[in-house]
Amino acid sequence: MKSRLLCLALATTLALPAAFAEQPSAAAAAAAQPPQRPLLWKVSDADNSVYLLGSFHLLKQDDYPLPKEIDAAFDDAESLLFEVDPREMSAPETAAIIQKYAAYADGKSLSTVLPKPTLDKLGNLLALTGGSVQMLEQSEPWMVSLSLVLGITNAMGFKADLGLDRNLMARAAAANKPTAGLETIEDQMKAMDSVPYAEQADGLDEFLGDPKQAIKQMQDMHGWWRSGDVARLDDGMRADMARKTPESYKLLDVDRNNAWLPKVEARLKDSKSDDTLVVVGSLHLLGEDGLVEKLRAKGYAVERVCEGCEAPAAN
């Protein structure tokens, strides 16, 4: 399950055995932390600019303070654009929308869409916490995966309320800077719901086959994000998703990027002075399908804003 979707989960997460959340010592963790380099680009036309910032939706307290480049982009921007409008993230009806798309509308159930080996693995895992598959019968596999991943990441100390987008939403509100969304919660849930059951089941089965691997993957992705390592993020996240689950990649990444592109470009075309800071999941900025390259292909000036980053990492 891609990390940019974790912040959307408002459902109760599943508690996992402590053994699944083994962590290095505090000293080792501190020593392993790379210096922060932002996934930040500046896209400009003749009179104004849009900053594109790759977010990590679940962070730890020691990921702050943010790199100075992000602070400077925030200060320079007159408005901010997120995946979803901050007001909708906290709206009372949001939970109901998520629950609607996480459930089945075609008479199916979890037991009917998961292969028996996957169902057995899930049952064995849930039994360790006193749960059962029956408790999740009305949840689609993507929501089950999301809940399990959130249980692990929470045990690792990653929190949604510390995520980069949440931080910048709060700062924008405090600074009275206008905010808006590129899509609605319902748009996101429709995209999740449209992923074929087979690919949803494959993702869940991969997780259940080795839950501890999810810990390593999260640590790797977080480390690559902190160090602004575009090449590793692209190969280890975006390209890996495109190879393993091509339909999911199209629905969750490519199609949404294409829908967002004119909204981002409008911030350049429709303003003669105001700059915008666009904050989206990091995958949406990477590779030839990412917003960075799509805007570059349209002829806009694009530069990586990252002190100490090597030039090739900007592509």
Side-chain angles (χ1 to χ4, degrees):
M1 185 60 61
K2 293 192 299 180
S3 60
R4 73 172 185 274
L5 298 171
L6 299 180
C7 69
L8 298 175
L10 302 180
T12 301
T13 60
L14 298 173
L16 295 180
F20 288 163
E22 294 172 357
Q23 299 184 61
S25 67
Q33 288 281 41
Q36 281 214 61
R37 295 191 175 97
L39 292 168
L40 180 65
W41 287 263
K42 186 176 184 179
V43 182
S44 306
D45 63 5
D47 45 41
N48 73 318
S49 300
V50 164
Y51 294 95
L52 300 175
L53 176 61
S55 175
F56 207 85
H57 297 308
L58 296 157
L59 292 177
K60 300 181 178 182
Q61 190 61 58
D62 61 8
D63 287 313
Y64 294 91
L66 296 171
K68 62 184 180 180
E69 296 96 328
I70 296 179
D71 291 334
F74 177 87
D75 291 341
D76 188 45
E78 280 74 28
S79 63
L80 285 84
L81 194 56
F82 297 94
E83 289 187 29
V84 174
D85 191 312
R87 289 158 293 200
E88 191 179 2
M89 293 288 288
S90 58
E93 61 271 20
T94 292
I97 293 172
I98 294 175
Q99 290 170 0
K100 169 187 171 184
Y101 285 99
Y104 297 92
D106 51 12
K108 290 184 168 56
S109 66
L110 191 63
S111 295
T112 64
V113 301
L114 289 183
K116 189 177 186 306
T118 304
L119 202 62
D120 290 342
K121 292 176 191 175
L122 179 61
N124 292 337
L125 176 61
L126 295 175
L128 295 174
T129 64
S132 68
V133 171
Q134 287 69 32
M135 298 168 59
L136 301 175
E137 278 288 12
Q138 295 308 306
S139 296
E140 292 195 2
W142 70 263
M143 178 53 79
V144 177
S145 297
L146 194 55
S147 298
L148 291 171
V149 171
L150 278 171
I152 279 187
T153 53
N154 186 68
M156 294 171 68
F158 290 95
K159 308 294 182 183
D161 59 1
L162 292 175
L164 181 58
D165 15 28
R166 295 289 182 92
N167 177 276
L168 292 172
M169 286 176 183
R171 287 176 61 178
N176 291 316
K177 292 196 176 191
T179 60
L182 289 162
E183 63 185 6
T184 65
I185 286 286
E186 188 144 18
D187 291 333
Q188 288 194 335
M189 292 301 99
K190 284 180 179 178
M192 292 292 292
D193 188 53
S194 63
V195 173
Y197 287 139
E199 288 198 0
Q200 292 187 38
D202 285 346
L204 178 57
D205 188 73
E206 183 177 2
F207 170 86
L208 293 169
D210 187 3
K212 288 186 178 181
Q213 182 64 18
I215 297 174
K216 182 181 185 304
Q217 290 172 347
M218 183 65 175
Q219 291 169 334
D220 286 344
M221 289 190 296
H222 179 243
W224 298 334
W225 177 83
R226 274 190 61 103
S227 61
D229 194 329
V230 171
R232 287 188 176 180
L233 278 171
D234 185 45
D235 185 62
M237 293 175 68
R238 185 199 63 81
D240 185 63
M241 182 182 183
R243 288 190 296 265
K244 291 181 177 178
T245 53
E247 187 65 18
S248 299
Y249 175 67
K250 176 183 180 298
L251 292 166
L252 300 177
D253 202 84
V254 179
D255 289 352
R256 292 167 73 209
N257 286 353
N258 289 339
W260 294 354
L261 183 62
K263 299 177 183 180
V264 174
E265 190 177 12
R267 295 297 180 115
L268 292 165
K269 290 182 174 181
D270 296 348
S271 176
K272 298 300 181 185
S273 59
D274 289 355
D275 298 331
T276 301
L277 174 58
V278 179
V279 185
V280 295
S282 298
L283 268 70
H284 291 290
L285 304 184
L286 304 177
E288 62 183 12
D289 297 317
L291 294 174
V292 172
E293 291 307 316
K294 285 181 178 293
L295 287 165
R296 194 194 306 273
K298 284 179 168 286
Y300 294 103
V302 179
E303 61 178 310
R304 177 88 183 267
V305 183
C306 177
E307 185 175 312
C309 288
E310 298 179 4
N315 295 324

